[in-house]
């Protein structure tokens, strides 16, 4: 075996499903002694938490480093956090170190230089095109990425659109595309059973974090208009800053429901008895224009059609299918189009839908590239 496989991301590592899947798949390859997912500690969270055989979350720092303390406190926390990471791992036998955001690239590069490990850049989106990348912050992020991205042995992208953007922006960089195909396991109960709903109502589902930029107010407004027994319902599966808004709507309107989050690997099976998904993405930022949200792949893995605003990567995934009935020209159409969808529309979609590959097949090129770079063959797979 070689050495450690490090993944750096400045979060409390609670629901980082993509990072967890990548780390676990790499550890399962047999190419590393252990995989450490290194994040920031939080109140009540263990400093070490094993989430799979050989895959350990390592939380370093104090709860004051958390994002909830405000931007300045967070920046000060990160300024102290990164040297602690370097001191912790700078003398370890490390074979690969992966930065999961542009802000982790400098630390990951320094650790790679110090330990002789390969550097991997695994951005979770188009890093410098997010809504919070403005003015000086954007300039710094672009500079960091421009200076260090070519030092990475391997660069990944979450979809083809973002992969092409990186390839065009940085000559010589050819990202491996690893889409967020969910790993699936049976759920203890599905949506209708959990909510006490009969099979009759046409049921839309919205999965993922309840936060801004995902059209939640517009979805609530549309389904609050539903009143008839044959009108569709919507259930939100998740948690987040806008949970209270959804709770209030669910208390007032019988066509709006809220279900708390379930483990990431159970989401697909939980939503299988819904009829369709609803997905509104604010595409004002370049990163969101090119996005392929987890909720998209969760719905498609459950063979659910998606009532959605135009999204390039959704259309790419549905290439060759006639999905005009599920496409929103504007958010204002949501209520009316939702009412027009029928089980016959769902059946037609499922007849045409070829399905998605498994996560293991999707991540296989990355596992092979990493193992080859650290001198192993991935014999554990």
């Amino acid at each position: 075996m070689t050495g450690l496989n490090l993944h750096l991301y400045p979060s409390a590592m609670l629901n980082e499903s993509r990072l967890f899947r990548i780390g676990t798949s790499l550890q399962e390859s047999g190419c590393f002694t252990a995989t450490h997912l290194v994040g920031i500690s939080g109140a009540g969270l263990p400093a070490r938490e094993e989430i799979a055989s050989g895959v350990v979350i390592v939380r370093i720092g104090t709860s004051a480093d958390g994002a909830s303390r405000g931007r300045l406190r967070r920046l000060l926390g990160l300024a102290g956090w990164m040297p602690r990471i370097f001191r912790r791992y700078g003398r370890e036998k490390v074979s690969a170190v992966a930065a999961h955001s542009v802000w982790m690239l400098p630390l990951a590069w320094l650790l790679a230089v110090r330990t002789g490990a390969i550097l991997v850049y695994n951005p979770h989106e188009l890093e410098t095109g997010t809504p919070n990348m403005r003015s000086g912050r954007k300039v710094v992020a672009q500079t960091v990425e421009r200076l260090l991205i070519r030092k990475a042995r391997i660069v990944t992208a979450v979809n083809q659109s973002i992969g092409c953007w990186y390839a065009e922006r940085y000559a010589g960089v050819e990202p491996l595309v690893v889409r967020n195909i969910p790993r699936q396991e049976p759920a203890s109960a599905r949506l209708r059973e959990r909510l006490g709903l009969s099979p009759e109502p046409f049921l839309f589902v919205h999965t993922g974090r309840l936060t801004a930029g995902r059209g939640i107010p517009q979805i609530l407004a549309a389904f609050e208009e539903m009143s008839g027994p044959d009108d569709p319902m919507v259930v939100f599966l998740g948690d987040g800053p806008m949970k209270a808004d959804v709770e209030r709507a669910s208390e007032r309107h019988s066509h709006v429901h809220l279900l708390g989050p379930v483990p990431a690997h159970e989401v697909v099976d939980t939503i299988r008895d819904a009829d369709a998904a609803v997905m509104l993405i604010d595409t004002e930022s370049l990163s969101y224009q090119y996005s392929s949200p987890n909720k998209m792949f969760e719905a498609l893995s459950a063979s659910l059609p998606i009532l959605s605003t135009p999204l390039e990567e959704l259309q790419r995934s549905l290439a060759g299918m006639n999905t005009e009935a599920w496409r929103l020209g504007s958010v204002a159409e949501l209520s009316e189009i939702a009412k027009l969808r029928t089980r016959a529309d769902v059946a037609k979609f499922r007849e045409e839908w070829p399905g998605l590959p498994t996560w293991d097949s999707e991540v296989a090129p990355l596992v092979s590239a990493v193992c080859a770079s650290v001198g192993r063959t991935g014999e554990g797979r």
Side-chain angles (χ1 to χ4, degrees):
M1 288 188 179
T2 55
L4 288 173
N5 176 27
L6 298 185
H7 294 261
L8 311 180
Y9 195 57
S11 84
M13 297 287 182
L14 295 175
N15 298 297
E16 306 298 345
S17 57
R18 177 178 176 83
L19 195 158
F20 294 173
R21 290 198 302 272
I22 288 176
T24 300
S25 294
L26 288 168
Q27 183 62 28
E28 289 173 348
S29 72
C31 294
F32 299 98
T33 54
T35 293
H36 286 190
L37 314 179
V38 185
I40 297 173
S41 64
L45 297 175
R48 290 177 62 89
E49 180 182 358
E50 186 168 13
I51 61 170
S53 179
V55 183
V56 180
I57 295 173
V58 178
R59 298 183 177 97
I60 294 176
T62 67
S63 59
D65 296 341
S68 63
R69 298 285 182 154
R71 179 173 293 182
L72 179 59
R73 289 291 297 276
R74 178 171 167 78
L75 290 174
L76 292 174
L78 287 177
W81 178 72
M82 290 192 280
R84 294 172 72 171
I85 303 264
F86 189 84
R87 290 194 298 270
R88 168 67 176 80
Y89 289 103
R91 297 185 182 278
E92 296 277 351
K93 184 179 180 182
V94 179
S95 295
V97 56
H100 283 258
S101 83
V102 66
W103 304 115
M104 294 296 97
L105 263 176
L107 174 60
W109 173 66
L110 288 172
L111 275 170
V113 171
R114 176 69 178 84
T115 64
I118 66 163
L119 175 63
V120 182
Y121 184 30
N122 286 325
H124 294 187
E125 54 191 333
L126 202 167
E127 286 282 317
T128 59
T130 59
N132 65 345
M133 286 292 184
R134 297 188 180 94
S135 59
R137 180 183 175 90
K138 186 181 184 79
V139 171
V140 173
Q142 289 175 330
T143 302
V144 168
E145 194 171 75
R146 184 179 68 252
L147 291 175
L148 295 179
I149 192 169
R150 292 186 184 87
K151 297 184 183 296
R153 184 78 60 87
I154 297 165
V155 177
T156 67
V158 296
N159 60 46
Q160 193 66 43
S161 296
I162 293 176
C164 289
W165 187 92
Y166 276 113
E168 292 172 3
R169 177 88 170 190
Y170 304 109
V173 173
E174 297 181 4
L176 288 173
V177 173
V178 182
R179 296 174 297 169
N180 286 327
I181 309 296
R183 269 185 163 171
Q184 304 176 35
E185 291 183 15
S188 58
R190 292 183 176 169
L191 279 179
R192 292 179 190 270
E193 179 181 348
R194 290 173 184 252
L195 295 168
L197 295 177
S198 68
E200 284 75 28
F202 193 100
L203 186 62
F204 285 90
V205 63
H206 177 282
T207 61
R209 189 159 169 76
L210 304 176
T211 190
R214 305 183 182 191
I216 292 172
Q218 292 89 342
I219 297 172
L220 290 176
F223 282 87
E224 285 171 352
E225 293 180 14
M226 310 295 181
S227 57
D230 297 327
D231 286 345
M233 298 181 173
V234 65
V235 55
F236 291 84
L237 181 64
D239 203 348
M242 300 188 72
K243 178 181 177 181
D245 297 322
V246 180
E247 280 182 327
R248 285 191 292 270
S250 68
E251 291 167 358
R252 295 193 304 261
H253 301 278
S254 61
H255 289 71
V256 177
H257 300 274
L258 172 64
L259 192 63
V262 301
H265 53 270
E266 294 184 9
V267 170
V268 174
D269 197 48
T270 299
I271 67 176
R272 283 190 194 281
D273 64 348
D275 294 292
V278 59
M279 183 176 73
L280 306 184
I281 301 297
D282 181 351
T283 57
E284 288 187 6
S285 72
L286 190 60
S287 181
Y288 285 3
Q289 289 175 32
Y290 288 164
S291 67
S292 48
N294 286 342
K295 59 174 60 63
M296 181 181 102
F297 289 117
E298 288 164 350
L300 294 178
S301 293
S303 297
L304 301 182
I306 305 173
L307 187 55
S308 173
T309 47
L311 204 60
E312 183 174 326
E313 281 300 315
L314 175 59
Q315 297 313 309
R316 190 190 302 274
S317 296
L318 300 175
M321 295 180 62
N322 182 6
T323 59
E324 288 186 12
W326 299 96
R327 198 174 308 155
L328 292 171
S330 70
V331 173
E333 299 174 350
L334 176 57
S335 176
E336 192 59 35
I337 292 181
K339 288 180 181 180
L340 293 174
R341 300 284 63 80
T342 67
R343 295 264 165 75
D345 297 321
V346 176
K348 185 175 187 300
F349 173 87
R350 289 175 174 170
E351 286 172 6
E352 297 179 6
W353 173 234
L356 290 170
T358 64
W359 166 256
D360 288 338
S361 62
E362 186 73 15
V363 79
L366 173 61
V367 172
S368 296
V370 171
C371 287
S373 295
V374 299
R376 303 295 288 179
T377 59
E379 64 270 23
R381 290 189 66 79

